[in-house]
Amino acid sequence: MNASRSDVLILGGGVIGLSCALHLLKGGTRVRVLEQGTPGCGSSHGNCGTITPSHAAPLTMPGTLGIAMRSIFRADAPLYLNPRLDSARLRWLLGFARRCTWQDFERAAQARAAILQRSYHAMAELIRSENLDCEYVEDGLLYVYRSAAQMMDDEHHHAQLLDRLHISVQRLRGEDVEAMEPALKPGVHSGLFHPDDARLRPDRYVAELARLVHEHGGMIETGAKIERLETSGQRIVGVTTSLGDFSGDTVVMALGAWSPLLGRQLGLRLPMQPGKGYSITYTRPAQAPRHAMVLREPKVCVTTWESGFRLGSTMEFSGYAEGLNQTRIDALRRGAAEGLREPEGPQLQEAWWGWRPMSVDEVPIIGPSTRWSNLHMATAHGMLGVSMSAATGELVAAQLHGTKPSIDPAPYAPSRFHL
């Protein structure tokens, strides 16, 4: 038997690829994962670790493009569109603009809500049954407002949507928020509390997934940079990497923001762009927030763990430009200082950047390709890769094993983009 051949070859060892691997292995499939770095070294590493059924609302809302266009002149804006010319990004923006309608907003929100809610329950079950060491806590997510205007906007476009989707959200007065969170500075106007959200330390969660994949007999090839795809007819017959050649009866593309780059070798134009995010990780401050929270005016996410404290978020569309943008890091610090009594921990551990895989309709792409007979996709999860990972793994395993999926796969199918 060819030692480099597997039943399923998964391209990408982030939280999505590892979740797919684990669920396939549990069904008796031989799996190999190809990862160009180490497991979870991309966006799976530096995100804020919130598990958020509350984040059903997509960015594709009327008015979003106008906000992005105005941000061209503000490099520290929470949503920033770099003004440099980029034809691929322009095509994506035009497609995104066409989907900024209330009808598309509702359709995407329903699809996101279904996978987010299923994933929340599947992840909790996995963490408990396998006793995963990832600082998982189910204690909700708090939105904090210092202005009536921001609260009113979120009431109409966020809270009322969650009401329609039957996702719990609680409206709080400012004094109730301050009593709930002594770490906040005075002057809170109001809050929204999402009691069914959770948090974990994402790098530890991914490390635990990698451990489970190994324990179930899966193989993870680290440092395996993909160089070329070999095809014959409508099949992918081999993958050439820096470590050698590999093949699989089925190939799963779980490369996150790198998916469009590899897709070009297959003649696929994936409607995705990298959305660059940033985070700062500290040792835990003495007066750390009790809950994960979002300071809504500066759009800063704050997560506390026993082992540390992280500020994160922001969305920068600069194509595949690499590197840390200090202006964005400074904006996170300023935003945290506006709302928190102790906005930074005693010791800076890491300033991080990473690309989120943003689809043009804000819905992930999961399912079989219509153009390649043995290609399956699991990508474009945007800012919600960790939150959607468990349900994505379940769905991919159900599709490849021929069993009934736990959620309707139709909204996520690559066929909607003729992929």
Side-chain angles (χ1 to χ4, degrees), residues 226-229 231 260-268 372:
I226 298 169
E227 298 172 348
R228 187 173 64 256
L229 300 178
T231 62
L261 303 181
L262 192 68
R264 292 174 191 168
Q265 293 192 29
L266 299 172
L268 300 175
W372 296 93

Side-chain angles (χ1 to χ4, degrees), residues 84-94 264 269 273:
R84 71 182 181 85
L85 293 177
D86 182 330
S87 59
R89 187 179 55 172
L90 179 59
R91 285 194 301 271
W92 183 89
L93 282 170
L94 292 173
R264 292 174 191 168
R269 182 176 287 179
Q273 274 289 296

